[in-house]
């Protein structure tokens, strides 16, 4: 990749080569700065969580949320998890960051459901590195013990990458997690390369249809077909289905017609702080309509 850029720059002439060279130097420097900052971020308390609502499509009720990590650095500003999570994985930092996320998510969810007077589920992302390198069972147990949050309301999101490691160890770990009472969801389903047979071999509860299939669900016939097929297949395997990235009423109605179980996306709410989550959930309780757009169209 970098070589190609370099080659093209060389071919384009000396001046361009210099430009690319200094550009890459700056990019490398920025990366180094970010890595150094990331190493200190936990100690400096720079991480926080946002919570995005999940809605039961059959009942229209709020059932809980997904916890999503955020990093704010005083100089670098907000760094997206799409950038720093892979970095933390490479640097071997994902175990400690992931533990912080697990504990904080359970603690904040416990507080939120107390304030709301309604049970809430919380889904937490676990990266493959965190899953295999660290003692994930102790991490989960510690988070539950420290927060008093019920295991039955915690959901762990893994990616197909975890299931690619088709070892006895993986199966045992997944069974152990489930024996704690915690449920298991496969995130970004449909984007990996793993064979579908894993769905019957591993003890999974839920599939999260990746947002890339949901985006054009109402306009692209093949995306509609893929999403419908995932829902039908999941249900015949007794798995529940969550649709990610639901942004419009039309997408929601499509999913509802196909008996998809849970919806998550900007249509219902963006990831927000726990305080904001409780406020908007209280509004949702008094007006359990279908979301902002539907409410607006009914007014
Ligand atoms: P994910 O787990 O698939 O999370 C869903 C992502 O989609 C989130 O991005 C969320 O903000 C975004 N999203 C939700 N609804 C919509 C929508 O309607 N439209 C669009 N366009 N996007 C929507 P975010 O927060 O930037 O996180 C990106 C990824 O970073 C996550 O994808 C997850 O893989 C990873 N990540 C986030 N937090 C954690 C964490 O605590 N631990 C680990 N290991 N990974 C995390
Ligand atoms: Mg997720
Ligand atoms: Mg996802
Ligand atoms: Mg993702």
């Amino acid at each position: 990749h970098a070589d190609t850029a370099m080659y093209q720059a060389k071919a384009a002439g000396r001046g361009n080569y210099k430009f690319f060279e200094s550009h890459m130097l700056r990019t490398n420097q920025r990366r180094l700065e970010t890595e150094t900052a990331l190493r200190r971020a936990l100690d400096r308390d720079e991480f926080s969580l946002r919570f995005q609502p999940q809605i039961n499509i059959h009942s229209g009720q709020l059932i809980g949320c997904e916890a999503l990590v955020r990093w704010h650095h005083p100089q670098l500003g907000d760094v997206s998890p799409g950038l720093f999570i892979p970095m933390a994985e490479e640097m071997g930092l994902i175990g400690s960051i992931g533990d912080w996320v697990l504990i904080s998510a359970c603690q904040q969810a416990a507080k939120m459901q107390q304030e709301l007077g309604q049970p809430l589920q919380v889904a937490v992302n676990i990266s493959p590195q965190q899953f295999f390198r660290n003692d994930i069972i102790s991490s989960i147990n510690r988070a539950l013990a420290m927060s008093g949050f019920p295991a039955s309301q915690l959901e762990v999101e893994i990616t197909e990458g975890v299931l690619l490691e088709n070892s006895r160890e993986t199966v045992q770990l997944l069974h152990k997690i489930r024996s704690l009472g915690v449920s298991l969801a496969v995130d970004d389903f449909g984007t990996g390369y793993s064979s579908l047979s894993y769905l019957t071999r591993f003890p999974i509860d839920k599939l999260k249809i990746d947002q890339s299939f949901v985006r054009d669900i109402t306009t692209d016939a093949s995306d509609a077909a893929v999403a419908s097929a995932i829902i039908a297949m999941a249900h015949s395997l007794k798995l529940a289905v969550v649709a990610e990235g639901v942004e419009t009423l039309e997408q929601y109605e499509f999913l509802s017609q196909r008996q998809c179980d849970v919806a998550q996306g900007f249509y219902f709410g963006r990831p927000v702080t726990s305080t904001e989550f409780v406020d908007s959930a209280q509004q949702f309780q008094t007006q359990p309509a279908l979301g902002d757009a539907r409410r607006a169209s009914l007014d």
Side-chain angles (χ1 to χ4, degrees), residues 251-296:
Q251 290 167 338
Y252 179 83
E253 283 176 339
F254 177 99
L255 294 159
S256 171
Q257 277 157 18
R258 278 154 190 82
Q259 308 295 313
C260 184
D261 304 285
V262 179
Q264 179 184 343
F266 296 166
Y267 182 65
F268 297 101
R270 291 180 181 259
V272 292
T273 64
S274 61
T275 313
E276 292 167 327
F277 188 90
V278 169
D279 286 346
S280 53
Q282 267 156 353
Q283 276 181 304
F284 197 88
Q285 280 174 333
T286 56
Q287 201 177 2
L290 273 181
D292 294 342
R294 168 53 79 77
R295 274 201 287 276

Side-chain angles (χ1 to χ4, degrees), residues 102-120:
L102 254 176
I103 292 170
S104 308
C106 290
Q107 283 174 336
Q108 292 189 50
K111 190 158 169 264
M112 286 194 287
Q113 70 171 1
Q114 197 178 24
E115 284 168 7
L116 274 170
Q118 166 197 341
L120 282 181

Side-chain angles (χ1 to χ4, degrees), residues 48-50 52 66-70 80-86 89 94 97-98 100-102 124-128 130 157 159 187-188 208 210-211 215 244-248 251 264-271:
S48 62
L49 292 181
R50 297 294 179 272
Q52 186 176 32
E66 176 176 5
L68 295 154
V69 72
R70 296 292 178 261
S80 112
L83 191 109
F84 75 79
I85 292 286
E89 288 173 344
I94 196 66
I97 297 173
W100 180 87
V101 169
L102 254 176
V124 177
N125 295 283
I126 305 286
S127 89
Q130 186 187 358
E157 291 189 9
T159 55
D187 202 358
D188 306 337
K208 293 190 81 173
D210 191 66
Q211 37 184 283
R215 195 170 302 130
E244 291 193 291
V246 180
E247 294 185 354
T248 67
Q251 290 167 338
Q264 179 184 343
F266 296 166
Y267 182 65
F268 297 101
R270 291 180 181 259

